[in-house]
């Protein structure tokens, strides 16, 4: 039961549309570095969830400098990425789904790293919130709860990255890419504003 509760709680927090999800979806549509990105996202969540269960959530929540650093750095990065997405939407550049316009693996992982670790909401959701919920349980149930949350992360990112290919026929048109990039830009700017106003 603790595993199921952890899975459901983790899924509820992870599925919310965010910069990390939008990036994995886009790379999944392009079929570029999907497996490394899925594994990176899932392992990052697992690391943060383990840290939260281990007690790091209390330290992060009370560290004003760390929260402000990720807050302003994250807002700047999200706003800049939003500008790039908006430019793609405006220009309406056709995307090749068969591997055209590939980015290097390290570039894709670097972007995913930034979307993950410069986002204070990631720490609040995984380290602080999931850690607090898990730590209401005694050993070993809190770790079972954490395992459920980590499994939810892996399932979600795998479904997002590898499931995107089923949307590929829709994204054969330039208009669909323009709409997606416009939505990504709005998402990035909204998240950046939320970080600055929170």
């Amino acid at each position: 039961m603790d595993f199921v509760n952890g899975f459901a709680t983790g899924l509820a927090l992870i599925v919310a549309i965010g910069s990390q999800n939008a990036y994995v979806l886009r790379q999944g549509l392009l079929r570029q570095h999907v497996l490394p990105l899925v594994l990176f996202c899932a392992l990052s969540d697992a690391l943060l969830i383990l840290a939260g269960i281990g007690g790091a959530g209390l330290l992060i929540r009370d560290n004003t400098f760390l929260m402000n650093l990720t807050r302003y750095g994250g807002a700047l990065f999200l706003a800049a990425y939003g500008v790039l997405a908006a430019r793609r939407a405006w220009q309406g550049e056709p995307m090749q789904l068969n591997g055209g316009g590939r980015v290097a693996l390290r570039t894709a992982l670097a972007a995913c790293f930034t979307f993950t670790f410069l986002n204070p909401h990631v720490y609040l959701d995984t380290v602080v919130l999931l850690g607090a919920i898990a730590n209401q349980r005694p050993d070993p149930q809190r770790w079972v709860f954490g395992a459920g949350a980590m499994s939810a992360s892996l399932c979600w990112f795998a479904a997002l990255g590898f499931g995107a290919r089923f949307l590929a026929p829709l994204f054969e048109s330039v208009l669909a890419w323009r709409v997606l990039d416009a939505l990504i830009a709005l998402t990035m700017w909204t998240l950046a504003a939320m970080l600055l106003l929170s």
Side-chain angles (χ1 to χ4, degrees):
M1 193 61 171
D2 290 298
F3 184 90
V4 174
N5 287 336
F7 189 94
T9 305
L11 203 59
L13 293 173
I14 295 164
V15 168
I17 295 299
S19 56
Q20 190 185 48
N21 287 342
Y23 187 72
V24 173
L25 174 64
R26 193 170 201 281
Q27 293 305 112
L29 286 167
L30 293 172
R31 300 183 187 183
Q32 294 183 11
H33 314 303
V34 178
L35 180 60
L37 291 174
V38 166
L39 292 177
F40 178 85
C41 292
L43 290 174
S44 298
D45 277 359
L47 177 67
L48 294 170
I49 291 167
L50 288 173
I53 296 174
L58 296 175
L59 296 176
I60 291 178
R61 186 178 61 191
D62 297 332
N63 191 324
T64 304
F65 173 76
L66 181 59
M67 291 304 294
N68 282 335
L69 180 65
T70 55
R71 176 184 177 191
Y72 293 113
L76 179 62
F77 179 80
L78 291 171
Y81 194 84
V83 169
L84 294 177
R87 187 175 70 178
R88 288 194 306 266
W90 178 261
Q91 293 174 344
E93 298 174 358
M95 302 296 296
Q96 300 297 321
L97 293 177
N98 58 4
R102 291 185 67 84
V103 297
L105 175 59
R106 64 183 172 199
T107 302
L109 289 174
C112 203
F113 178 91
T114 307
F115 285 131
T116 301
F117 292 103
L118 280 185
N119 182 1
H121 292 293
V122 169
Y123 298 101
L124 293 175
D125 289 346
T126 57
V127 180
V128 177
L129 187 54
L130 280 173
I133 296 172
N135 285 325
Q136 293 175 3
R137 296 163 167 78
D139 282 327
Q141 285 93 330
R142 65 181 178 145
W143 299 105
V144 174
F145 179 92
M150 289 183 272
S151 298
S153 173
L154 177 60
C155 290
W156 167 249
F157 286 114
L160 188 65
F162 292 107
R165 68 184 57 195
F166 296 108
L167 297 175
L170 174 66
F171 283 89
E172 289 176 353
S173 72
V174 175
L175 177 61
W177 279 105
R178 296 183 79 164
V179 170
L180 176 64
D181 281 323
L183 290 174
I184 289 175
L186 290 174
T187 300
M188 300 302 169
W189 291 335
T190 300
L191 291 171
M194 288 172 61
L195 286 180
L196 293 175
L197 296 175
S198 63

